[in-house]
Amino acid sequence: MIQPRLSKSRFCTGLQCVRQLWWRVREPDAPELVSPPDLQAVFDRGHRIGELAQAAFPGGVLIEAEHWDVAKMCKATSAALASGTPAIFEASFSVDGLFSAIDVLERLEAGFALVEVKSTFSVKPQFIPDVAIQVHVAKAAGIDVRRAEVMHLVRDRNCAAGEERFARVDVSAEVEAFLAQVPAQIARMREALTGDLPLVEPGAHCEAPYECPFMARCHLPKGALLN
Ligand code: SF4
């Protein structure tokens, strides 16, 4: 069986629950995965915030391609890196069956800073593995990542309508601490994806850090077989 590519979002899902990951990968057209209109609005806002954040990196270049065209995204990223551009938005790397598109890859005097943009008002714990898998992929692709950051919103009443203020928080130490477990987590997820639907007992992880869309499939009467 061909190994499915592990993206950042798949990695984060697998951390929460490999059973949920299995369904997301094996049943991408599952009705549970159709975004309700209110969730789509959240995605749209996140996209808009990402675009506003790019203004903080003058001279940056956006990697534009269809999200499924990984080869084109990676090729454009290589070209942007070679051109010496000060920042790359959606910098894309595919290596060892892993894929990551980085919100902002900022060129430093030495090496690069990897910046993950979030439409929240603080750094949440679940952002650390999210950033760590991106650092792992970027480093595997040969990028000299010197710093990892989360760039989030700041409440500011003086902001005009349509404008946003951001804070950049250095999370390098937290990410570095998490990086050690990334290879083992990837191996665990790959093993789960090669077999039958994994058995995972429902629990607190079904709702945190994100609510699982498959709860109706799992939350059977006590003692019932999970599949
Ligand atoms: S409901 Fe819970 S156990 Fe079932 S797939 Fe979702 S996270 Fe996993």
Side-chain angles (χ1 to χ4, degrees), residues 170-185:
D170 190 332
V171 293
S172 303
E174 296 90 329
V175 165
E176 191 62 36
F178 190 87
L179 276 176
Q181 64 169 287
V182 167
Q185 292 288 0

Side-chain angles (χ1 to χ4, degrees), residues 86-219:
I88 304 173
F89 310 129
E90 300 299 322
S92 302
F93 301 98
S94 177
V95 57
D96 299 336
L98 306 167
F99 173 73
S100 178
I102 297 161
D103 285 340
V104 186
L105 188 64
E106 181 185 37
R107 190 181 295 275
L108 305 175
E109 274 187 26
F112 291 85
L114 185 154
V115 184
E116 170 72 7
V117 178
K118 295 293 188 190
S119 50
T120 57
F121 291 95
S122 64
V123 176
K124 302 196 179 218
Q126 62 265 33
F127 296 168
I128 301 305
D130 177 329
V131 176
I133 184 63
Q134 297 179 65
V135 171
H136 175 90
V137 175
K139 284 187 169 179
I143 302 301
D144 180 11
V145 180
R146 297 287 181 95
R147 196 168 72 224
E149 296 182 18
V150 170
M151 184 172 180
H152 64 75
L153 294 168
V154 173
R155 293 183 205 280
D156 185 349
R157 288 185 188 165
N158 297 321
C159 260
E163 286 182 5
E164 299 286 359
R165 228 163 59 72
F166 293 91
R168 292 175 62 172
V169 181
D170 190 332
V171 293
S172 303
E174 296 90 329
V175 165
E176 191 62 36
F178 190 87
L179 276 176
Q181 64 169 287
V182 167
Q185 292 288 0
I186 290 169
R188 185 178 70 88
M189 291 172 204
R190 285 189 166 145
E191 189 180 344
L193 286 171
T194 56
D196 294 334
L197 177 63
L199 285 174
V200 178
E201 285 291 340
H205 67 275
C206 301
E207 297 183 286
Y210 304 104
E211 186 175 304
C212 174
F214 297 109
M215 287 172 71
R217 295 197 193 190
C218 288
H219 288 194

